Amino acid sequence: MNLNWLVWKDYRVNRLVFITALVLLVFPYLFAAVLLWRGIAREPDVFLGASLYALGLLQLTLAFMGGNAIAGERADRSAEFFASLPVPRARALASKLLVTLGLVILIWLPNLAVMAVFASIPGIMPVGLLDGRVIDFAWRVLGTIAITGLTFFCVAWLLSSVLESATFSVCAGLIVPLLVILGIVWTAHLLELRVDDDAVGLWYGGLCMAISAIAFPSGTAYYLRRIEP
């Protein structure tokens, strides 16, 4: 079966996720424009804050994508019909990942473009904010956002491959990063360890990456080997 047809099918299954992503993408910029129009914010660099805020919000849609990608088909019974068609699971998997890639592009490309444009305009960013420490901090923030979104998706993907409930899969994907950060803070408190923000960030990033590295391949392997829809 044509891969383009599969991609279109998976897009239709996850169309609400894309609509939500568009809303979450546009809203922070509209809010920033209103602030400028009303005179509450007086500098165009408010759009830099809007891009970061939008980027953080949009990571939520990755949990919805991961949780709905497989379980959503079981919920609306389309998985049973799809299983009767001569479509290799590997091709179906490729289609789902291509649709997910489209969502990732929608999340990151516009916001990174806005950041790059406003950061490069003379006079927008004060010179003091362009030193190495601030740039390093900005990269760490973007990295944390990316790792969180990846964990949202991978955990939700794993449970989506196993369960019939997209809702439960999405909720689990959303809660795991929170449990990770709470576990780090609670462990440091119990052991009376003095940890700074950098140490917490390193532990958080490492644990989330490890969880993602286990969850995504496990969910993928289960989906490829699953006999029933």
Side-chain angles (χ1 to χ4, degrees):
M1 184 170 290
N2 191 290
L3 184 59
N4 292 333
W5 183 90
L6 293 175
V7 170
W8 175 247
K9 184 268 299 180
D10 284 316
Y11 165 75
R12 288 180 61 85
V13 171
N14 296 282
R15 181 168 49 188
L16 183 59
V17 177
F18 280 87
I19 294 173
T20 302
L22 285 173
V23 172
L24 294 178
L25 173 63
V26 172
F27 177 76
Y29 293 104
L30 288 179
F31 187 71
V34 170
L35 292 180
L36 278 176
W37 176 58
R38 298 294 297 270
I40 300 173
R42 300 185 180 276
E43 298 294 336
D45 61 1
V46 68
F47 287 104
L48 278 172
S51 63
L52 191 61
Y53 190 71
L55 198 56
L57 279 177
L58 282 165
Q59 302 308 309
L60 300 174
T61 62
L62 288 172
F64 286 92
M65 174 64 78
N68 192 61
I70 303 172
E73 294 180 342
R74 300 195 191 108
D76 64 10
R77 303 297 182 184
S78 62
E80 297 178 0
F81 168 74
F82 188 65
S84 66
L85 301 178
V87 180
R89 281 289 175 91
R91 183 172 295 183
L93 172 66
S95 171
K96 296 179 187 302
L97 294 182
L98 284 173
V99 173
T100 302
L101 177 61
L103 179 64
V104 171
I105 292 173
L106 177 62
I107 290 172
W108 283 91
L109 186 59
N111 291 302
L112 290 181
V114 170
M115 290 181 187
V117 168
F118 279 91
S120 64
I121 297 176
I124 292 294
M125 294 292 290
V127 176
L129 293 181
L130 295 177
D131 60 28
R133 290 175 299 174
V134 173
I135 293 176
D136 181 64
F137 174 76
W139 278 113
R140 289 203 304 269
V141 170
L142 291 177
T144 300
I145 291 175
I147 289 172
T148 302
L150 178 67
T151 308
F152 282 162
F153 174 78
C154 291
V155 174
W157 172 271
L158 169 61
L159 294 179
S160 180
S161 68
V162 176
L163 305 176
E164 294 185 2
S165 172
T167 302
F168 187 83
S169 302
V170 170
C171 291
L174 291 174
I175 202 172
V176 164
L178 177 61
L179 293 178
V180 170
I181 193 67
L182 289 177
I184 294 171
V185 173
W186 184 247
T187 300
H189 174 73
L190 287 179
L191 299 179
E192 298 182 352
L193 300 175
R194 294 183 178 180
V195 292
D196 55 16
D197 292 341
D198 290 340
V200 172
L202 286 174
W203 276 102
Y204 174 79
L207 289 173
C208 283
M209 288 295 291
I211 291 171
S212 300
I214 294 172
F216 180 74
S218 299
T220 300
Y222 187 83
Y223 173 71
L224 291 176
R225 296 176 181 178
R226 185 181 175 115
I227 299 175
E228 70 276 13

